[in-house]
Amino acid sequence: MSSQNNETTKGEDTQVSRRNFMGMIWAGLGGITALEIGGILLAYMKPRLAEGDFGSIITVGPTDDFPPKSVTPVTNGRFYLSRLEDGGFLAIYQRCTHLGCSVPFMQTEGKFICPCHNSQFDATGEILNPPAPRPLDLFPILIENGIVKVDTRKTISRNQFDPSQVVYE
């Protein structure tokens, strides 16, 4: 009799009860569902940048469209394309380095004037009137086959204007 009990006990150890089997199935289905929901959430949170939107490379246009001594707003890129007197280009971020206000370019006065605290900048983004602590930031410019492209994925912080920041054809 004791040998039969040992065999039954050994047999029960290797068998999975129906309750445990159903529990494993439900746990597996729950895990798969959690992975699917996690994938959906990650896809939802991933930034979707269309070409030409802020945070991507923006094609501004042919170099001939921008006369020397002009400042052109590029609203979808949040910057101004400044073409200097010598024909060089700067892509100037419209955010003030003081408090982050949006700085418009005043065509009549020929300078950027911050509406928050009256910081003023020239056409190169250099400080004319504080309290801004440094010049306006820049974006990298690429000129390919006479077409101006601006990379708004990263800003270039600077402490002063330097002629090496200007991009030429």
Side-chain angles (χ1 to χ4, degrees):
M1 203 175 213
S2 71
S3 66
Q4 274 186 340
N5 284 342
N6 285 340
E7 287 178 23
T8 308
T9 305
K10 289 179 185 176
E12 285 178 8
D13 286 342
T14 58
Q15 288 183 345
V16 176
S17 71
R18 181 175 176 193
R19 181 180 302 261
N20 288 341
F21 177 74
M22 293 303 289
M24 288 187 292
I25 294 292
W26 283 111
L29 290 173
I32 291 170
T33 303
L35 286 173
E36 287 178 353
I37 290 172
I40 291 169
L41 287 174
L42 285 175
Y44 177 76
M45 294 173 73
K46 179 182 174 188
R48 288 178 285 282
L49 297 174
E51 186 177 333
D53 285 344
F54 183 75
S56 68
I57 295 177
I58 297 174
T59 302
V60 184
T63 56
D64 295 338
D65 288 356
F66 307 100
K69 294 178 68 174
S70 67
V71 177
T72 307
V74 180
T75 53
N76 61 325
R78 302 180 195 165
F79 67 89
Y80 293 91
L81 188 66
S82 180
R83 184 145 195 201
L84 306 179
E85 193 171 349
D86 64 359
F89 289 93
L90 290 171
I92 301 173
Y93 194 9
Q94 70 181 14
R95 190 184 70 183
C96 184
T97 54
H98 178 229
L99 293 176
C101 300
S102 185
V103 181
F105 184 76
M106 307 306 236
Q107 291 286 351
T108 55
E109 297 177 36
K111 57 187 169 182
F112 296 95
I113 301 176
C114 181
C116 296
H117 292 96
N118 200 36
S119 291
Q120 296 179 15
F121 309 88
D122 67 10
T124 66
E126 185 70 27
I127 299 172
L128 297 173
N129 184 43
R134 57 187 180 77
L136 295 172
D137 294 333
L138 301 175
F139 290 113
I141 296 177
L142 300 103
I143 299 177
E144 297 175 341
N145 300 322
I147 304 295
V148 179
K149 296 180 181 185
V150 178
D151 186 353
T152 60
R153 293 177 291 192
K154 69 172 189 171
T155 57
I156 300 169
S157 296
R158 57 197 178 135
N159 292 322
Q160 63 185 19
F161 171 72
D162 187 302
S164 67
Q165 298 164 348
V166 180
V167 177
Y168 296 93
E169 278 188 83

